[in-house]
Amino acid sequence: MNVHFWGVRGSIPTPLSSQQLRLKLIAALQRIKPEDIESEEAKEKFISSLPWWIKGTVGGNTPCVELTLNSGEKVVFDAGSGMRAMGKFSDPPADGRYHLFMSHFHWDHIQGLPFFDAAYNPTIIFEVYSPFPDMKEFFAKQMIAPYYPVDFSVIEKHFNFHLVKPGETIEIGDASITCAKMSHPGDSYSYAVCEGGKKFVYATDTELSTKDFVHTPEKSAVFENADVVLIDSQYTVEEALRKVNWGHSAFCYAIDFAAEWKAKKMYMFHHEPTYDDRKLSTLLDAAIWYANYISGGSLDIAIACEGDSFDL
């Protein structure tokens, strides 16, 4: 399967500000030497040598992750503002059918759907999966006047809704998908996709606690021995302690969780909107150190960046 990040920011879309761009330029200029501008090749080499937080960005769109299965089917997790970009730059599924799995229905996870081009194409079918029985109503409510000019009734004919339950297995092509309930205000659900002997886990919006480390059949089916787990790592510990019951986790709690469930690689996800790229780079460095300390190097750590993709 191929995994592509279209939106990785938490809570609210967060565009790169002019001040943040200015600080990136200053940081780059502080590193430059005369030989770095002697030729086009030297300039390219200099830019390539810059830290990722200077030459790039994690992005500001809210959650949307696209999986292209080995069999060609498209599985999408959440419909945050990143879904708009997916509609502009991703190839539609060959079979004309999206399989959209919803973790929950807070605004930052649904606000991209009204701006997704394919939603208005009657030849495209959307299979929507969620443990929330009112999923259709939740989509429709954000598209009523005066909040949006197009009513959901205009597009609902090519949306099919499927109620799923923890412990149930959904088969799509050669992939199997299961879910588990997590701690979040109003509830949220994590999903595991297994295909070709590989497991990818989407675990956004979760406030981890001791009960999440208990090996229940439901949790084991989703988290045990994942090749990659994409998980809510929104806060530092200090901020997590100030925001108890807000529904998100400190990055070190996410690392403890991934290590407990024997994941091979963890991506930090659902980034705090007030954290700029430099702050997130600092957190990534701390996360890598901590993961090496507690796992002896068995858990690889990365940070989810908008536009990045990988094969699994």
Side-chain angles (χ1 to χ4, degrees), residues 219-266:
K219 288 281 200 310
S220 295
V222 172
F223 294 108
E224 195 90 64
N225 298 316
D227 292 280
V228 172
V229 57
L230 179 69
I231 189 166
D232 186 328
S233 312
Q234 185 159 339
Y235 298 141
T236 61
V237 172
E238 185 272 335
E239 187 157 13
L241 292 175
R242 287 192 290 107
K243 296 181 176 180
V244 174
N245 297 324
W246 284 42
H248 303 287
S249 295
F251 71 88
C252 58
Y253 300 165
I255 291 169
D256 289 337
F257 180 80
E260 170 64 26
W261 288 100
K262 296 181 171 56
K264 296 180 180 66
K265 185 168 186 174
M266 187 195 100

Side-chain angles (χ1 to χ4, degrees), residues 4-9 60-65 81-83 269 306-307:
H4 191 106
F5 302 133
W6 293 105
V8 299
R9 185 70 67 168
N61 278 309
T62 59
C64 182
V65 177
S81 65
M83 197 179 203
F269 185 67
E306 192 174 311

Side-chain angles (χ1 to χ4, degrees), residues 49-62:
S49 71
L50 291 171
W52 70 266
W53 66 268
I54 297 177
K55 64 185 177 184
T57 179
V58 300
N61 278 309
T62 59

Side-chain angles (χ1 to χ4, degrees), residues 3-15 52 56-67 77-86 108-109 111 200 202-205 229-235 248-249 267-277 280 302-310:
V3 181
H4 191 106
F5 302 133
W6 293 105
V8 299
R9 185 70 67 168
S11 303
I12 191 169
T14 312
W52 70 266
T57 179
V58 300
N61 278 309
T62 59
C64 182
V65 177
E66 177 189 29
L67 270 64
F77 290 107
D78 282 338
S81 65
M83 197 179 203
R84 176 188 175 276
M86 188 178 84
D108 55 324
H109 293 258
Q111 61 196 177
F200 170 79
Y202 179 80
T204 189
D205 291 64
V229 57
L230 179 69
I231 189 166
D232 186 328
S233 312
Q234 185 159 339
Y235 298 141
H248 303 287
S249 295
Y267 275 88
M268 300 165 65
F269 185 67
H270 204 270
H271 310 309
E272 164 62 32
T274 63
Y275 292 176
D276 63 13
D277 291 308
L280 290 170
I303 190 164
C305 294
E306 192 174 311
D308 283 357
S309 63
F310 62 89

Side-chain angles (χ1 to χ4, degrees), residues 146-191:
Y147 308 115
Y148 197 73
V150 181
D151 194 86
F152 185 71
S153 61
V154 173
I155 62 175
E156 67 175 312
K157 289 183 179 179
H158 55 118
F159 280 73
N160 301 316
F161 294 91
H162 308 272
L163 186 64
V164 298
K165 299 177 181 179
E168 180 183 0
T169 299
I170 307 297
E171 304 288 345
I172 299 174
D174 296 324
S176 60
I177 302 175
T178 54
C179 72
K181 186 177 179 180
M182 310 302 289
S183 296
H184 190 71
D187 295 334
S188 181
Y189 291 82
S190 295
Y191 294 92

Side-chain angles (χ1 to χ4, degrees), residues 184-223:
H184 190 71
D187 295 334
S188 181
Y189 291 82
S190 295
Y191 294 92
V193 182
C194 297
E195 184 188 38
K198 299 292 185 179
K199 180 190 278 190
F200 170 79
V201 174
Y202 179 80
T204 189
D205 291 64
T206 177
E207 187 167 358
L208 295 168
S209 64
T210 54
K211 70 178 184 297
D212 294 301
F213 292 75
V214 178
H215 287 235
T216 64
E218 178 185 313
K219 288 281 200 310
S220 295
V222 172
F223 294 108

